[in-house]
Amino acid sequence: MDPVISSYQAPRIRFLGAAGTVTGSKYLLTFNQRKILIDCGLFQGLKELRLKNWDRFPIDPKTIDAILLTHAHIDHSGYIPRLIKEGFRGKIFCTQATFDLCKILLPDTGHLQQEEADYLARKKISKHNPPLPLFTVEDAKEALSYFETKNFDEEFEVIPELFSTFKYVGHILGAASCFVKAGPIRIAFSGDVGRWNDLIFRNPIPLPQVDYLVIESTYGNKKHDTSEPMMDLEKIINETVKCRGVILIPAFAVGRAQSLMYFLSQLKKTNRIPNSIPMYLNSPMATDVTKKFFEFKTLHKISELECQELFSGFHFIKTMSESIALNEKKGPMIIIAASGMLTGGRILHLLKTFAPDPKNTIVLAGFQAEGTRGRQIQEGAKEVKIHGNFVPVRAQVRTLENLSAHADYSEIIEWLKASNIHPKKVFITHGEPEASFALKKHLEEELSLNGFIPRQDQEFTLD
Ligand SMILES: [Zn+2]
């Protein structure tokens, strides 16, 4: 028998995260006794999920040879510094834009971890004494030295006889789906799939033919509203301007903040909102991410001129004292600040000042998770607790629909139709159970595809 054939072992996949939930993306692929991870994300959201980040890693991180990273969002990249702390010493492959965003996001996450540990130390409410961060800013910076960047559509060898290629998928700057050839078996990992006909990112490009597909299902049970976010925003701003109010927009620093900035600068340019209204971006991290749009011009649809207009149209707030000074300013004005769900960050002191006045408007521009101030305000809370005090909410509260960076089920079906692929099995991940079940049904009914929803830690042979 041919010795190469006899040593061949079919690849195996094990779901170490984003199985039955949307965060913690980590898929372990074992091939010829070597191991690689596709994504290495943090569990986020409810406490019970966040605590999973502290579990002992189910295999020895030293035995993992490499990581393929689809994009920079923390639920896909945020466990990397921890894995290195635990002994991982392999290479981390991703696109250049993903690496650049990780340089911004991972140290920031380390900083937040340290802040939380300090908070627990002050409150004396941790099992650990002293309470420890999952990783520090220094750990995050060290992690960056393990990265190696690859171009979109460039095939590269990850471990012997296993090759990978990153394919453009929209979603955020640098995001990719990941195509893997392990011996004769072809597997695609969707990563987070972007929108169809988005104003900022191009459509995800079709996937090559595969034997297996691992697909996200964040909105597997939803069809996005067809409302035009720019029209909604225009209406909200003009109504608030009439009362000389302040428009306060909490937004995630990566992705959402840039979409909003683009919409606002286009509205101003076309005189759909007053040209004189000052606009502030109050987030140094969002500012750094916005600059990346200039550098990676081929990855989005915003023209050079529009990029320049976007920059000249905003005041970029750098320091904390500049941020605090915004509290003294009178409306009309527009302020974008993090965090997107009002869980922390500079938005909080602005909320204290502007939420009690009915002239002002709070614009919620994304999903507001249970237990967050954003959700409380969205559900009509008359007051919210900030820094230990109750702050009345008398401002108008509006939610902008249709701003998601994730494809809904019909867009996923559209993408797979364009790909014209016939995998033996589709693993449906990265979704709440009802979203994953709904996508499974759509895949079966509309594409005759065999969908399967893996549980956390389940392992399968891909033959
Ligand atoms: Zn994402």
Side-chain angles (χ1 to χ4, degrees), residues 121-133:
R122 280 201 307 277
K123 296 274 174 189
K124 299 192 172 60
I125 48 175
S126 173
K127 299 189 286 213
H128 305 280
N129 192 19
L132 301 169

Side-chain angles (χ1 to χ4, degrees), residues 106-120:
L106 291 180
D108 180 72
T109 307
H111 178 70
L112 293 175
Q113 293 286 337
Q114 281 175 290
E115 265 187 0
E116 193 178 326
D118 291 346
Y119 172 80
L120 294 175

Side-chain angles (χ1 to χ4, degrees), residues 14-17 24-28 35-41 43 52-64 67 79-80 82-84 86-88 456-457:
R14 185 168 164 194
F15 295 89
L16 302 181
S25 281
K26 282 179 218 85
Y27 312 127
L28 182 75
K35 295 185 183 76
I36 65 166
L37 265 185
I38 290 85
D39 285 338
C40 188
F43 287 102
K52 281 167 82 75
N53 295 320
W54 289 94
D55 289 352
R56 195 187 165 78
F57 201 70
I59 52 156
D60 181 358
K62 286 192 204 75
T63 64
I64 301 172
I67 298 172
Y79 193 81
I80 289 173
R82 179 76 187 178
L83 200 73
I84 292 171
E86 302 284 309
F88 171 78
Q456 172 78 20
D457 276 324

Side-chain angles (χ1 to χ4, degrees), residues 70-76 171-172 175 191-193 216 405-406 430:
T70 61
H71 67 292
H73 274 151
I74 288 302
D75 62 319
H76 292 255
H171 185 57
I172 62 165
D192 284 359
V193 184
E216 70 125 325
H406 285 267
H430 200 289

Side-chain angles (χ1 to χ4, degrees), residues 31-222:
F31 181 59
N32 289 347
Q33 266 107 48
R34 311 284 288 262
K35 295 185 183 76
I36 65 166
L37 265 185
I38 290 85
D39 285 338
C40 188
L42 277 186
F43 287 102
Q44 294 176 303
L46 296 171
K47 191 172 180 192
E48 143 201 347
L49 276 171
R50 282 183 282 123
L51 283 173
K52 281 167 82 75
N53 295 320
W54 289 94
D55 289 352
R56 195 187 165 78
F57 201 70
I59 52 156
D60 181 358
K62 286 192 204 75
T63 64
I64 301 172
D65 293 279
I67 298 172
L68 295 170
L69 179 60
T70 61
H71 67 292
H73 274 151
I74 288 302
D75 62 319
H76 292 255
S77 71
Y79 193 81
I80 289 173
R82 179 76 187 178
L83 200 73
I84 292 171
K85 254 179 99 127
E86 302 284 309
F88 171 78
R89 292 292 178 269
K91 278 187 183 159
I92 302 158
F93 297 101
C94 65
T95 65
Q96 181 68 48
T98 293
F99 180 40
D100 282 19
L101 293 186
C102 283
K103 285 187 215 166
I104 301 169
L105 282 173
L106 291 180
D108 180 72
T109 307
H111 178 70
L112 293 175
Q113 293 286 337
Q114 281 175 290
E115 265 187 0
E116 193 178 326
D118 291 346
Y119 172 80
L120 294 175
R122 280 201 307 277
K123 296 274 174 189
K124 299 192 172 60
I125 48 175
S126 173
K127 299 189 286 213
H128 305 280
N129 192 19
L132 301 169
L134 207 52
F135 59 87
T136 62
V137 175
E138 280 63 41
D139 295 329
K141 285 184 178 159
E142 198 214 319
L144 296 170
S145 64
Y146 291 81
F147 280 66
E148 184 170 319
T149 62
K150 296 290 172 189
N151 296 322
F152 282 99
D153 300 316
E154 171 190 354
E155 188 180 85
F156 56 97
E157 193 169 36
V158 184
I159 51 174
E161 293 176 66
L162 187 146
F163 297 86
S164 181
T165 315
F166 290 122
K167 299 277 179 189
Y168 184 89
V169 78
H171 185 57
I172 62 165
L173 216 53
S177 53
C178 181
F179 175 64
V180 172
K181 284 199 287 192
I185 303 295
R186 278 137 179 77
I187 314 148
F189 296 84
S190 72
D192 284 359
V193 184
R195 303 292 305 275
W196 214 255
N197 300 322
D198 189 51
L199 289 174
I200 294 174
F201 292 102
R202 299 197 305 276
N203 289 354
I205 68 156
L207 288 170
Q209 200 55 250
V210 288
D211 301 296
Y212 294 91
L213 169 66
V214 179
I215 195 153
E216 70 125 325
S217 59
T218 314
Y219 288 110
N221 57 345
K222 290 219 171 68

